[in-house]
Amino acid sequence: MGSTSDKISGKANEIAGKTKQAAGKAMDDRDMEAKGAVQETKGKGQVASGKVKDKLKGAVDRL
């Protein structure tokens, strides 16, 4: 995936994860809350990966 795709997918996963967590809390469903937390964390990792790719590309372009 490209850096932009990583960041977009990451933000989508963060939002979906937060939504699942909120729904899990509202329904007192700890499993859903946990799955939402995992998805949010995955999204944060994807965003970070996209940012790293941007920095690497910038460093290579300067060479």
Side-chain angles (χ1 to χ4, degrees):
M1 261 192 210
S3 63
T4 302
S5 297
D6 284 344
K7 290 188 270 186
I8 291 170
S9 295
K11 282 295 179 186
N13 274 319
E14 282 185 57
I15 292 167
K18 287 179 183 180
T19 302
K20 280 184 186 176
Q21 288 180 71
K25 279 184 182 181
M27 296 186 299
D28 197 28
D29 184 342
R30 292 184 188 263
D31 186 51
M32 183 181 282
E33 274 187 78
K35 287 179 181 178
V38 168
Q39 188 169 6
E40 181 181 1
T41 301
K42 175 185 174 183
K44 288 180 180 183
Q46 287 173 311
V47 170
S49 173
K51 289 179 180 179
V52 168
K53 286 180 183 179
D54 282 342
K55 287 186 182 202
L56 287 174
K57 183 181 181 313
V60 169
D61 288 346
R62 286 189 297 269
L63 294 176

